[in-house]
Amino acid sequence: MKKLSTVFVFILLLKITNLMAQDHKAKILVLIHSDNGGTYELAKEIASGIENSNNATAVIKQVKESQNPKLKNIPVASVEELPSYDGIAFGSPVYFGNISTGMSEFLSKTVNLWTNHALEGMPATVFMSAGSGAGKELALNAFWNTLAVHGMVLVSNGIRGTENINKTIPQGNTVLGVTSMASLKDVERPTKDERELAVLQGKNFAKTALALKGTFTSKQTAVSGIEKSEDINTILKQKNIVLPKVPLPAGNYKPYVRSGNLVFINQVALKDGKILNPGKLGVEVNEQQVKEATKATMLNVIAVLKEAVNGDLNKVKQCVQLTGIFNTKDDYTKHADLMNTASDLVVEILGEKGKHARATLGASSIPVNSSVEIQAIFEVE
């Protein structure tokens, strides 16, 4: 029995020692946006360098989901988690001498972090995948400017490692951070030297992050000061809102069209394969029945929207515009009251993001004898 107790105490001490060692390490996020995988390749080398000294751990995450097979399994970071790290290495493609649209959109969501001083004093470093190499320093500077506004400690690569690179081919080395010139196809990109520079950048950044660990804003304070957006799926469950199946098109058109970050949707009051409360208001149906049809139509719109964002309504940034068209007599004027049903529902589901511009109008008839049709425009990630 005494031997068992001794073994138990030894195992417990071993676990405590291991936990203390883990807590002593710097926890670093390698946060990327990558189009074709070039930035991701550099990110892997940066992460390798970070973990090389055994004084830091690295986790690679991306700012948005990607359909690229190389990238689709990389987890997506949330803005709220950024203050929980001891340092962040930011990676992005170069877009016309600037950071990428995906990275820019993510950083635009960090206003609450800025107002709460959540990233002040945290070390940051940057790396980028360029095309021809033109504009890479300008793009790196744009990255630095954004992070400087947050009060982050910017860690440059300097001329570290440049004495060993192959001078006979163009390389992506800069003093601000490593880059790779992806469009030069004569050699594999990133090159062996670009990868080695990225490893060196990761090693140097890990030392800085470890040295500054615990010296900046308390993680708990930073996170608690940020208003987190509620998960849309949780809201739907709490409010017992069940979305219908996406109605199939009745002609040569699509349930939705996406153009850039905008999604366009048109729906009528189809429910369980039939038009709910069909007919003209004041003739075949009354106002209450039209409101029921309007709710069903808006649920169809949300169901189509969910399909447009691959099942994740949290990717909806804003309901931009709703237009309600009602099958009414010529002298009817209370269209806005009918449309409030749709407006209230979208705000109930999406919160502040559901508030929108709106138009309502009457029509002498609507296709398939529906009492209502709703046209919707949403901005999504």
Side-chain angles (χ1 to χ4, degrees), residues 155-215:
V155 183
S156 73
N157 213 27
I159 58 170
R160 185 175 285 102
T162 56
E163 65 277 5
N164 298 320
I165 67 173
N166 183 352
K167 306 296 193 301
T168 64
I169 61 173
Q171 300 279 8
N173 59 299
T174 76
V175 296
L176 300 181
V178 67
T179 69
S180 173
M181 290 180 282
S183 68
L184 301 180
K185 304 300 183 184
D186 53 326
V187 292
E188 182 183 355
R189 295 290 173 169
T191 66
K192 175 177 175 291
D193 293 335
E194 288 168 346
R195 290 178 183 274
E196 289 179 358
L197 288 171
V199 170
L200 287 174
Q201 183 170 346
K203 284 182 181 178
N204 181 56
F205 186 62
K207 285 195 300 182
T208 306
L210 184 64
L212 293 177
K213 179 178 167 67
T215 65

Side-chain angles (χ1 to χ4, degrees), residues 92-124:
S92 161
V94 174
Y95 278 19
F96 301 104
N98 211 327
I99 58 180
S100 71
T101 304
M103 180 60 73
S104 179
E105 287 177 346
F106 183 88
L107 292 175
S108 71
K109 300 174 187 175
T110 62
V111 174
N112 279 331
L113 294 180
W114 175 67
T115 56
N116 284 280
H117 310 275
L119 300 179
E120 286 180 4
M122 181 187 292

Side-chain angles (χ1 to χ4, degrees), residues 112-142:
N112 279 331
L113 294 180
W114 175 67
T115 56
N116 284 280
H117 310 275
L119 300 179
E120 286 180 4
M122 181 187 292
T125 195
V126 300
F127 58 97
M128 303 190 81
S129 178
S132 64
K136 61 184 180 181
E137 283 88 358
L138 191 62
L140 287 161
N141 268 312

Side-chain angles (χ1 to χ4, degrees), residues 2 20 23-24 26 28 58 70 90 98 128 144 168-169 199 208 230 240 276 326 367:
K2 187 175 181 181
M20 289 175 67
D23 188 60
H24 179 67
I28 297 173
K70 299 177 187 176
F90 294 88
N98 211 327
M128 303 190 81
W144 274 47
T168 64
I169 61 173
V199 170
T208 306
E230 198 169 352
N240 199 27
L276 178 66
F326 296 92

